[in-house]
Amino acid sequence: MLKRQLDVQNKRFGFLSDSIRRDSFLNFFKKYTTKRQKVGSDNMAMTFRYFENFVSKGLKFCDLNESICEGFRSYLLSSPGISFRE
């Protein structure tokens, strides 16, 4: 009961619960990308593909930090292009 109450409070104030923090960020990002993808716009899908190539498959929410974001930015600026068809 206490765990459920903490989950509700965390959600109410915009915090991630422990169970969500241990979830796969890539799975979340893939689902989010699929929902946001618009006809004729593949920006979200390509962002996911680049991010998937950049990070390990086991990346969890709790592993995300500023260093990973800065590294991804550098990766985008220096990596070769990815074909959408690959």
Side-chain angles (χ1 to χ4, degrees):
M1 170 103 163
L2 181 59
K3 181 173 175 29
R4 174 71 179 136
Q5 183 178 1
L6 285 173
D7 284 344
V8 169
Q9 286 176 333
N10 283 339
K11 188 173 183 178
R12 180 176 173 203
F13 294 108
F15 300 120
L16 296 177
S17 68
D18 285 339
S19 60
I20 292 174
R21 289 175 46 86
R22 288 188 298 268
D23 283 347
S24 168
F25 179 76
L26 282 179
N27 288 343
F28 163 80
F29 193 18
K30 179 67 173 174
K31 289 175 190 173
Y32 179 79
T33 299
T34 303
K35 285 194 311 189
R36 291 282 316 252
Q37 197 171 3
K38 298 177 181 162
V39 175
S41 174
D42 296 321
N43 291 341
M44 291 296 296
M46 288 306 293
T47 301
F48 175 78
R49 295 208 41 221
Y50 275 100
F51 194 72
E52 186 179 37
N53 284 342
F54 173 70
V55 299
S56 67
K57 301 289 183 202
L59 182 70
K60 298 176 183 173
F61 276 94
C62 61
D63 297 331
L64 285 174
N65 58 34
E66 188 175 337
S67 176
I68 289 175
C69 294
E70 286 295 326
F72 182 55
R73 179 182 177 274
S74 296
Y75 174 77
L76 289 174
L77 292 173
S78 64
S79 68
I82 295 176
S83 169
F84 187 73
R85 303 282 182 232
E86 287 181 13

